[in-house]
Amino acid sequence: VQLQASGGGLVQGGGSLRLSCAASGRTGSIYVMGWFRQVPGKEREFVAAISESGFRVYEQDSVEGRFTISRDNFKNTMYLQMNSLKAEDTAVYYCAAETNGGYTTAAIRDHTRYEYWGQGTLVTVSS
């Protein structure tokens, strides 16, 4: 499985961006997909995740109501719509995928669970 993230950029506070993550290879083996973010000197942080069907979504409290995760399995692409962006959302955003299934609500937030990662896309929010 290969993942390609895109859509990052510079935006003013209160603005919006839409990240995309295109999957290729053995996409039929993917269960959960997720977005994480990281700033220098800090651990990779869970942002949101989505089940294979797209019916279950999980979000970090700080982005709930502002960010929306979705996936289009026909296009093998996952999205993160980010609205009302804040300076503290500035980070490199990574998409990830796992093929093991059988996740728990806690485990889905654990970046070590995910086997495949995109290269990261930088989001910079100016205040």
Side-chain angles (χ1 to χ4, degrees):
V1 175
Q2 294 80 44
L3 303 176
Q4 179 74 38
S6 61
L10 173 64
V11 62
Q12 284 191 333
S16 299
L17 280 175
R18 188 195 198 202
L19 305 184
S20 298
C21 176
S24 59
R26 295 185 62 188
T27 57
S29 64
I30 295 174
Y31 283 92
V32 173
M33 297 187 76
W35 289 98
F36 291 78
R37 64 188 180 187
Q38 191 169 23
V39 297
K42 292 190 176 182
E43 286 194 7
R44 195 161 293 190
E45 176 186 51
F46 171 77
V47 176
I50 187 166
S51 65
E52 59 270 34
S53 65
F55 290 147
R56 295 182 183 177
V57 298
Y58 307 83
E59 297 171 335
Q60 185 202 100
D61 290 346
S62 69
V63 308
E64 193 170 352
R66 300 189 298 122
F67 292 10
T68 302
I69 188 171
S70 61
R71 67 193 285 177
D72 183 335
N73 289 334
F74 291 105
K75 295 182 178 180
N76 295 317
T77 303
M78 174 180 64
Y79 305 96
L80 185 69
Q81 177 66 45
M82 304 186 294
N83 299 327
S84 302
L85 282 161
K86 305 175 181 179
E88 50 263 43
D89 295 318
T90 295
V92 176
Y93 283 71
Y94 297 90
C95 60
E98 67 90 35
T99 62
N100 295 316
Y103 54 87
T104 64
T105 301
I108 207 169
R109 290 170 165 80
D110 181 358
H111 67 88
T112 64
R113 173 185 181 84
Y114 294 79
E115 305 144 82
Y116 302 100
W117 291 86
Q119 83 287 5
T121 184
L122 176 62
V123 172
T124 304
V125 184
S126 62
S127 56

